[in-house]
Amino acid sequence: MPKKRKRVKSKMNTPKLRNVEKSRSQATIGKRPPGLQVCKKCQAVYLRKRWQWNYPMFTENKNDKSVATICPACAVTRPEQAEGTLELYDYDSATQRQEILKMLRNAEARARERDPLDRIFLWEKSGKTDIIYTTENQLAMSLGRQVRRAFGGDLEFKTSAEEDIVRLRWRGVIPNKK
Ligand SMILES: [Zn+2]
């Protein structure tokens, strides 16, 4: 019995030592975590399976071409790529329009701060209608509701289950209520 125990012990020691050696050398060669990606456009960092703001990690790795990429939000540039749209029309006044657009810019900045993939990537004006395009459908929903809550008016939306797309329309002045 003692003989057997001894053999088991020696078998266990050797691989353990090797593993320690291996992980030490990995730690010194590259501090870079596995799966790391860095967006060269917006400086967002993909780490532990999600996109986030991590400025130290960005500066440390920004010159490493092997991790440089374009994040999913920066890759969205065309209107047809939007997950959400919010149309705004029939403003009460030009001042109200300015206030709403300002509120939307602030709300977007807060959303982007929380999650780098939450963005308004396009602002359009078509006649008297403003159209904003978002990378995430939830952001469009949230923005539409914030406008409705702060300025009243009428908010309607259509979702497309197949494509995960939401289209919202906010109307400032409701004719039959006048
Ligand atoms: Zn990016």
Side-chain angles (χ1 to χ4, degrees), residues 103-168:
M103 194 202 80
L104 289 172
R105 280 192 294 273
N106 292 335
E108 193 252 358
R110 284 194 305 274
R112 185 192 285 236
E113 189 59 38
R114 276 194 304 271
D115 182 344
L117 301 189
D118 265 357
R119 298 186 195 169
I120 297 173
F121 67 93
L122 190 63
W123 301 75
E124 242 179 37
K125 195 166 189 294
S126 167
K128 290 186 171 178
T129 301
D130 288 288
I131 312 166
I132 63 166
Y133 298 84
T134 64
T135 51
E136 303 281 338
N137 51 22
Q138 287 303 318
L139 178 60
M141 288 291 279
S142 160
L143 295 174
R145 284 174 175 150
Q146 287 179 59
V147 173
R148 171 81 173 77
R149 204 180 306 133
F151 298 92
D154 187 40
L155 182 70
E156 47 180 60
F157 63 91
K158 281 183 198 148
T159 51
S160 146
E162 296 158 17
E163 296 172 289
D164 258 0
I165 293 170
V166 61
R167 297 184 196 288
L168 297 105

Side-chain angles (χ1 to χ4, degrees), residues 3-170:
K3 202 182 167 191
K4 198 181 179 184
R5 201 179 293 147
K6 199 182 173 187
R7 197 165 57 213
V8 169
K9 197 184 172 192
S10 73
K11 259 187 189 171
M12 284 181 73
N13 277 346
T14 327
K16 248 189 196 170
L17 282 171
R18 275 198 199 122
N19 283 344
V20 168
E21 204 63 34
K22 201 180 167 194
S23 59
R24 258 191 210 139
S25 66
Q26 277 172 343
T28 44
I29 288 169
K31 286 180 210 158
R32 185 207 303 155
L36 177 77
Q37 285 179 283
V38 169
C39 178
K40 49 192 176 186
K41 272 183 97 175
C42 71
Q43 312 190 345
V45 168
Y46 186 75
L47 187 63
R48 291 185 288 274
K49 297 185 177 174
R50 68 178 189 91
W51 284 95
Q52 53 194 273
W53 302 116
N54 186 322
Y55 195 65
M57 194 62 84
F58 169 77
T59 46
E60 206 174 293
N61 295 282
K62 64 179 177 184
N63 296 320
D64 184 346
K65 283 188 177 128
S66 70
V67 297
T69 188
I70 300 287
C71 77
C74 287
V76 172
T77 55
R78 298 193 310 276
E80 62 270 25
Q81 292 175 288
E83 259 199 24
T85 60
L86 171 59
E87 287 180 32
L88 306 145
Y89 66 110
D90 278 354
Y91 297 101
D92 192 28
S93 62
T95 311
Q96 187 192 49
R97 175 175 178 265
Q98 288 309 318
E99 283 172 4
I100 290 175
L101 296 184
K102 187 181 166 195
M103 194 202 80
L104 289 172
R105 280 192 294 273
N106 292 335
E108 193 252 358
R110 284 194 305 274
R112 185 192 285 236
E113 189 59 38
R114 276 194 304 271
D115 182 344
L117 301 189
D118 265 357
R119 298 186 195 169
I120 297 173
F121 67 93
L122 190 63
W123 301 75
E124 242 179 37
K125 195 166 189 294
S126 167
K128 290 186 171 178
T129 301
D130 288 288
I131 312 166
I132 63 166
Y133 298 84
T134 64
T135 51
E136 303 281 338
N137 51 22
Q138 287 303 318
L139 178 60
M141 288 291 279
S142 160
L143 295 174
R145 284 174 175 150
Q146 287 179 59
V147 173
R148 171 81 173 77
R149 204 180 306 133
F151 298 92
D154 187 40
L155 182 70
E156 47 180 60
F157 63 91
K158 281 183 198 148
T159 51
S160 146
E162 296 158 17
E163 296 172 289
D164 258 0
I165 293 170
V166 61
R167 297 184 196 288
L168 297 105
R169 282 164 68 84
W170 177 85

